[in-house]
Amino acid sequence: MDDDISNDWVPVKDTVFKEDKITTKLIFSVCWNYQEYKFAVTCRRHSRTYLTEKEEAWTLGLGSYQLMCLHSQLCDVVPQLSHYPLPQLPYEPRGVWCFIYDREQAEGNVCTELEKWFQCAVDVCGQKLFLAVWFEEMNDSEYYDQLNDWKIKEFEEQVDIARERVINVAHLGSEHAVNLQELCQDYELEDKAFNDWCRALTALYNAKLHPFIDLREIANEKMRIAKSHLADPALGPRPKAEHTKKLLHWDGQHSEMQTIILDHYVSFYSTIYSFLSDMHSRMKKDQSKFGKASFTRLASSRLFRVEGEKLNVKLQHLRAQSKHSSHEITCTMKLMANIDSSTPDANDLLNSHENKVYELKCRMLDLKIKVLEVEVKLARLKKEVSAHNIKESELNLRQLVF
């Protein structure tokens, strides 16, 4: 990964596309319009309470091609819907084919089947998303937030599945392998499952971070515009005050987004490090179980690799924590600069912020020490790997000579 860990990675709500409690039911009615060659689709939502009774309705005409496009759009957002295909629709030629083939009329019970399909689609996707895609107008922000929420939910499910696969494969190897050859085969399966989990986890965190990175870039652009206005020597006092206020607002937004982004990076590397630590511990136990000499001959290369990956991820985790602390110092210094000295608690606030800055700087020094310790461990590991490789080469050479 790049040294600047906050450049490549955006909002996810704490609740992943959870709908409000559904108190209404959607009822669909589908008829075929013989003149327009379209389905007339009516959706009614009826709700009744102790005091009121309310009914909403939406109607639209959809051709076969439109139905298939909307179905495909929903499947992209909610892949589970792909298991519920549309019924057989009348053929609707497109483009130049309109001059060659006639449009077909709907036959049989296709309208009834469509009504059932609409109800099934609502059950799979939920009322809110379904109505937004098929009937209601929605602002871009809300629409894309919902798309992102659904994608994150899918990524989380993939991460959980991949994680269970790694755990199952690791358990199979540790508990059931009767010799080192079988264990090494299980290690290969575990490596593949672990790589799949890493890819899924990376995709999840990229999806989570994407909105925040976008918002950070928007804040950057707004700050640039405000600064360009403030640099104008002809700017009057009133516009100057307005642009100063905007600059402070967007600077706060930028800092908030940066904090969230760095939080995610720390969490990401911590998760991977924990997994690699468990993997390394299991290999150490396997080494004790099957004997150090035999284990070194057959599985040492993987042990070295896992230990190296663990240490490298630990470095990334420590550097992410250091960047987070540095960002906290910057934010705290800005707060100190904006303290109104005329307020009664100004000195208390200043002392509190100064203490926080001191603690953060001490923490950064501790993190630098830990970084150096990990770098020493990495250097020792490289030395050990080199010595092992030289010894293996000499042993192989002797075997060839004799």
Side-chain angles (χ1 to χ4, degrees), residues 79-237:
Q80 295 95 323
L81 188 63
S82 60
H83 300 301
Y84 305 92
L86 287 165
Q88 185 66 40
L89 301 175
Y91 176 67
E92 180 182 358
R94 304 287 297 172
V96 296
W97 300 108
C98 295
F99 300 100
I100 302 174
Y101 297 104
D102 293 329
R103 289 184 289 182
E104 296 179 354
Q105 297 284 2
E107 297 179 352
N109 59 347
V110 65
C111 292
T112 303
E113 292 177 1
L114 268 177
E115 291 173 358
K116 294 178 180 178
W117 182 86
F118 278 120
Q119 192 61 62
C120 177
V122 170
D123 294 338
V124 174
C125 303
Q127 287 189 18
K128 191 174 182 181
L129 181 62
F130 180 86
L131 290 175
V133 173
W134 288 79
F135 295 99
E136 293 180 350
E137 293 185 359
M138 175 185 280
N139 64 67
D140 290 343
S141 176
E142 184 181 355
Y143 177 71
Y144 287 111
D145 272 353
Q146 290 187 12
L147 291 185
N148 195 59
D149 288 345
W150 271 105
K151 288 178 182 177
I152 287 172
K153 185 177 180 181
E154 289 298 314
F155 285 134
E156 286 178 335
E157 291 176 355
Q158 291 173 17
V159 169
D160 289 341
I161 292 171
R163 181 177 179 276
E164 287 300 317
R165 189 178 299 123
V166 176
I167 293 173
N168 291 337
V169 171
H171 176 76
L172 180 68
S174 299
E175 298 295 328
H176 300 289
V178 295
N179 53 53
L180 269 173
Q181 284 79 10
E182 287 187 7
L183 185 63
C184 289
Q185 292 175 358
D186 291 332
Y187 281 160
E188 292 179 5
L189 295 176
E190 186 180 1
D191 286 342
K192 183 179 182 306
F194 175 75
N195 290 333
D196 291 342
W197 175 77
C198 284
R199 281 191 291 270
L201 188 71
T202 302
L204 170 62
Y205 273 86
N206 275 319
K208 284 185 174 183
L209 282 166
H210 183 71
F212 296 116
I213 291 176
D214 281 353
L215 292 173
R216 186 185 63 180
E217 293 308 309
I218 291 171
N220 264 331
E221 180 62 18
K222 296 290 186 181
M223 289 165 63
R224 186 192 66 79
I225 294 171
K227 288 177 180 177
S228 67
H229 284 296
L230 291 171
D232 184 0
L235 193 68

Side-chain angles (χ1 to χ4, degrees), residues 248 251 327-343 345-361:
L248 290 173
D251 183 63
H327 177 65
E328 283 190 82
I329 290 174
T330 302
C331 293
T332 308
M333 296 289 283
K334 289 179 181 178
L335 291 174
M336 292 171 64
N338 293 324
I339 291 176
D340 186 355
S341 58
S342 63
T343 57
D345 59 345
N347 287 332
D348 292 338
L349 282 173
L350 187 61
N351 290 332
S352 175
H353 291 324
E354 285 178 345
N355 289 334
K356 183 177 181 181
V357 169
Y358 172 76
E359 291 173 0
L360 288 168
K361 286 183 176 179

Side-chain angles (χ1 to χ4, degrees), residues 271-320:
T271 303
I272 295 182
Y273 177 75
S274 176
F275 228 100
L276 285 168
S277 296
D278 291 342
M279 188 182 294
H280 185 258
S281 297
R282 286 196 299 271
M283 288 198 75
K284 284 292 187 179
K285 290 179 181 178
D286 293 337
Q287 187 181 50
S288 300
K289 178 180 177 180
F290 291 98
K292 187 174 182 179
S294 300
F295 191 90
T296 300
R297 187 174 67 255
L298 294 177
S300 59
S301 59
R302 184 181 189 262
L303 181 61
F304 289 142
R305 176 170 54 80
V306 170
E307 187 174 359
E309 290 176 358
K310 184 187 76 168
L311 292 173
N312 278 312
V313 171
K314 183 62 177 178
L315 274 180
Q316 295 282 8
H317 183 227
L318 291 170
R319 287 167 181 163

